Amino acid sequence: MYPGNPTKKHITPKVTKTLCFKSELDGKKTSPVQVSPAVNIEETPAQYLIVIAVPGLHREDFSLEIVEGILSISATKEKESYTPNDRWEYDYSDWTRTFSLPDDSDVVLSHAKYWNGELIIRIPRGNTDENKAKAIVYVY
């Protein structure tokens, strides 16, 4: 029990999303399943922080590569079998995202960690070279 007085306030949702059974999607061009995961990007004086919400994956499912200042992030996981009675709002089993990195990013010292359903990528700042190196980032 929650301590305190109950409220009779009615909460109206701001956005309503349609949730369909897979059998209802047959013949439709659009799907309510999100193709790529949501991303938060934070910039501090010391680093760039990219956080991607990808629940249900393992660190071995990710591939990260930086080539000429372009960060490519992808994940591939064996898809589960769907039945017509299943409802899915997200499916992050196969996706790719790319980001253009600023000139001061130090791609050689970049690192990534998968923790609590989030892929956390840290890219230090401070590279003054115009040379955009190639780096493969390993997920820990």
Side-chain angles (χ1 to χ4, degrees), residues 41 60 79 82-83 86 88 100 103 113 120 135:
I41 299 174
E60 297 85 14
K79 289 189 176 185
Y82 299 110
T83 62
D86 291 344
W88 293 88
S100 178
D103 291 334
K113 177 172 76 168
I120 303 165

Side-chain angles (χ1 to χ4, degrees), residues 57-72:
L57 296 177
H58 301 285
R59 67 180 186 89
E60 297 85 14
D61 298 331
F62 297 103
S63 173
L64 283 79
E65 185 177 48
I66 302 172
V67 178
E68 296 182 8
I70 304 293
L71 170 63
S72 299

Side-chain angles (χ1 to χ4, degrees), residues 43-48 69 100-110 123-132:
E43 180 180 343
T44 67
Q47 69 181 353
Y48 297 101
S100 178
L101 298 176
D103 291 334
D104 66 341
S105 58
D106 192 353
V107 298
V108 176
L109 297 177
S110 302
I123 303 169
R125 296 178 80 172
N127 187 9
T128 57
D129 297 337
E130 300 258 344
N131 185 8
K132 303 259 184 174

Side-chain angles (χ1 to χ4, degrees), residues 9-18:
K9 181 179 177 184
H10 179 70
I11 299 173
T12 306
K14 293 182 180 179
V15 178
T16 304
K17 293 183 180 180
T18 305

